[in-house]
Amino acid sequence: MTSSRPTPLHAEHQRLGASFTDFAGWSMPVRYTSDIAEHTAVRTAAGLFDLSHMGELELTGPQVAQALDHSLVGQPSKIGIGRARYTMLCATDGGILDDLVVYRLAEEHFLIVANASNAAVVREALIERITGFEAELRDTTADWTLIAVQGPASVPIVATLTDLPLADLKYYAISTGKLAESNILLARTGYTGEDGFEIYCRPDDAAGIWTALLAAGAPHGLLPAGLACRDTLRLEAGMPLYGNELSAATTPFEAGLGRVVAFGKEGDFVGRDALARRRDEGARQVLVGLTSTGRRSPRSGYAVHDPESGQQVGAVTSGAPSPTLGHPIAMAYVGVGYDEPGTQLQVDIRGTRDAVEVVALPFYRRA
Amino acid sequence: MSVPDNLQYTAEHEWIALDGDIATVGITAFAGEALGDVVYVELPAVGDAVRTGDACGEIESTKSVSDLFAPLDGEIVEINDAVVADPGLVNTDPYAAGWLLRLRVTGESALLDAAAYETLIGGE
């Protein structure tokens, strides 16, 4: 075994026969039985995920909203209490340091959820950026266990364990309450393209909540689900993954996420000048979807070619055989002019160039 | 993880069942578990001559793709069409229905016995 950090649910995963992988220093379940079965369960019933590796940062103080408007590309001061927004932390040159979900828990209390691999970078950048504001940051990663229930059966499953009025909890909203008799934060967010919930609970309560959800979900077809299917689910849903689609070398505009940059907000924010330039110049590379009728899947790093000239015009960032669609799908950065849906391109799959077609993202949208 | 005693193994996580000069080859349960659900298997053509260590096929799962290496020198005499049609057999029945190919062995190669392979994968 490696020295990676177990989550508070490690014993539960072992009991369920999980295979583990090291992910950003955490020992995480990669699958329990079959990635495809877990993927399909999320699309048709529900899946139960341990996401305790995600980083949680809590910010408080009289000027916390202004401090975050300055620090992030979005406008957290405009987020209503009990609501959430997807946003990004960018460097002064506009490069993406992480993509984040920001929840406003109270007027002067925000919860920021960062990718495990970037949690330290986000924490250090925010500590520096909020200096001079009346705001404080606490890294509460170790205080929270994050459990997600994702899939069309999420509502009936969670409803059996809480009195919270789930119908009133809108997409990208968060509420405090009780679930399986433990105090929790219940958010209607996720990373699978399905309806579902993310449950923030105390580590001591995590095993009780996990087993209660497994039991409540079993009649609905819920399966425990690992990181392997989380990746194919997010890919089908066209959601970017930091390290694949997003990096310090890309700005939100290449990723097709320029809308997250709030140029209209008051005051300066880190990266404003560089991002405004990129907005005005236009991106040189654009994130697109690719599909193929073949059997071999484009994978991260594979070159994308123009079949006419043979020239390389881009590179794949993520790719896999889509369990839902039954054919290979991929995301890639390609040069402007090659990004129109219907464009025929080729991907060099380990020495053989296979035909692919540019398609609009996402590949999959829930009914 | 099961490592059948009656088979031989390579460090590339393949198993070999020798019957005279015919070797049946598959990948181990350990390899199948590491790959995840196999969705595509590409195998060499019958008649191909292979040398030990040659990449002669591919095994693709939702998560990754890995080469299939020839475990011995020889000539491919049969491939498992059933596993091409239903690649999940590699996961569900790796040592029987999930076999990949048969070759007529033409040279000697150092293979691992079950105990040595078990040590390689960390033992149980």
Side-chain angles (χ1 to χ4, degrees):
Chain A
M1 271 309 285
T2 62
S3 59
S4 55
R5 183 173 169 185
T7 79
L9 292 166
H10 196 79
E12 301 304 319
H13 304 320
Q14 284 180 315
R15 198 166 301 141
L16 292 163
S19 307
F20 292 90
T21 188
D22 179 88
F23 189 87
W26 293 82
S27 175
M28 299 301 297
V30 64
R31 75 178 63 78
Y32 297 85
T33 51
S34 147
D35 333 313
I36 294 176
E38 292 165 24
H39 181 111
T40 304
V42 174
R43 288 276 179 258
T44 60
L48 185 63
F49 296 86
D50 177 4
L51 305 177
S52 300
H53 60 310
M54 302 295 282
E56 285 91 11
L57 303 169
E58 289 182 60
L59 293 99
T60 51
Q63 292 187 316
V64 66
Q66 296 103 294
L68 287 175
D69 281 4
H70 166 72
S71 302
L72 305 175
V73 300
Q75 196 169 7
S77 65
K78 289 281 192 197
I79 301 174
I81 294 168
R83 302 306 298 265
R85 292 298 291 270
Y86 175 79
T87 188
M88 291 181 180
L89 177 82
C90 287
T92 49
D93 69 356
I96 302 167
L97 297 177
D98 201 12
D99 63 337
L100 307 163
V101 174
V102 179
Y103 299 98
R104 190 171 204 168
L105 302 179
E107 183 65 27
E108 297 178 0
H109 186 185
F110 290 82
L111 168 65
I112 294 184
V113 180
N115 283 298
S117 49
N118 295 328
V121 168
V122 174
R123 180 182 64 225
E124 296 313 311
L126 285 178
I127 288 171
E128 193 184 317
R129 292 178 188 190
I130 67 172
T131 303
F133 292 91
E134 284 182 72
E136 271 179 59
L137 177 147
R138 281 191 312 134
D139 184 339
T140 54
T141 302
D143 299 338
W144 293 111
T145 298
L146 177 52
I147 296 170
V149 182
Q150 299 279 301
S154 297
V155 170
I157 292 166
V158 172
T160 60
L161 298 171
T162 184
D163 293 333
L164 280 166
L166 299 181
D168 297 344
L169 190 70
K170 297 193 176 76
Y171 190 54
Y172 267 67
I174 188 166
S175 176
T176 57
K178 277 190 182 281
L179 184 126
E181 285 157 34
S182 299
N183 291 315
I184 55 144
L185 294 174
L186 185 68
R188 199 149 193 170
T189 44
Y191 190 55
T192 60
E194 297 298 334
D195 189 12
F197 300 95
E198 292 182 315
I199 299 159
Y200 296 84
C201 66
R202 295 304 169 195
D204 287 348
D205 298 329
I209 289 174
W210 176 269
T211 49
L213 286 164
L214 271 183
H220 296 272
L222 171 140
L223 291 181
L227 291 188
C229 78
R230 186 167 155 85
D231 191 44
T232 47
L233 288 160
R234 70 91 197 167
L235 176 60
E236 286 182 347
M239 294 173 164
L241 172 64
Y242 197 91
N244 289 42
E245 285 71 38
L246 309 179
S247 75
T250 54
T251 77
F253 294 96
E254 283 81 28
L257 293 166
R259 62 182 163 76
V260 306
V261 185
F263 287 108
K265 63 183 170 182
E266 275 177 41
D268 200 13
F269 64 93
V270 180
R272 178 197 279 274
D273 294 344
L275 289 165
R277 265 199 310 279
R278 188 55 60 99
R279 173 196 58 189
D280 297 339
E281 287 166 5
R284 279 172 224 110
Q285 296 242 304
V286 187
L287 188 66
V288 297
L290 302 175
T291 62
S292 143
T293 53
R295 295 189 68 174
R296 302 160 90 227
S297 293
R299 301 282 182 175
S300 177
Y302 290 6
V304 180
H305 295 268
D306 173 10
E308 307 284 317
S309 67
Q311 294 293 307
Q312 183 174 350
V313 297
V316 174
T317 51
S318 298
S322 161
T324 306
L325 303 172
H327 59 70
I329 59 172
M331 289 199 271
Y333 279 108
V334 299
V336 170
Y338 297 98
D339 57 326
E340 279 302 311
T343 305
Q344 301 297 313
L345 296 172
Q346 291 176 334
V347 175
D348 187 334
I349 301 181
R350 300 179 295 282
T352 312
R353 291 190 186 180
D354 282 16
V356 294
E357 180 174 324
V358 176
V359 298
L361 293 169
F363 301 101
Y364 166 86
R365 204 187 292 270
R366 70 177 186 259
Chain B
M1 189 99 34
S2 64
V3 177
D5 284 340
N6 59 328
L7 301 174
Q8 294 177 284
Y9 299 88
T10 70
E12 306 292 349
H13 307 288
E14 288 151 339
W15 60 261
I16 298 97
L18 273 171
D19 180 9
D21 64 350
I22 300 297
T24 302
V25 178
I27 67 166
T28 64
F30 178 85
E33 178 132 328
L35 278 167
D37 290 332
V38 174
V39 294
Y40 178 51
V41 173
E42 187 172 273
L43 298 174
V46 170
D48 282 1
V50 294
R51 296 183 60 85
T52 305
D54 282 356
C56 63
E58 289 183 346
I59 302 167
E60 183 151 21
S61 67
T62 53
K63 191 164 140 258
S64 64
V65 59
S66 58
D67 284 316
L68 174 68
F69 296 99
L72 297 158
D73 295 353
E75 183 193 331
I76 306 295
V77 294
E78 191 177 352
I79 61 164
N80 185 359
D81 292 322
V83 85
V84 172
D86 180 9
L89 291 171
V90 171
N91 300 106
T92 55
D93 198 5
Y95 299 112
W99 68 276
L100 298 174
L101 57 85
R102 290 200 170 100
L103 54 84
R104 177 169 287 110
V105 181
T106 56
E108 299 239 331
S109 257
L111 298 173
L112 306 172
D113 64 15
Y117 182 68
E118 241 178 289
T119 304
L120 180 84
I121 63 174
E124 290 285 314

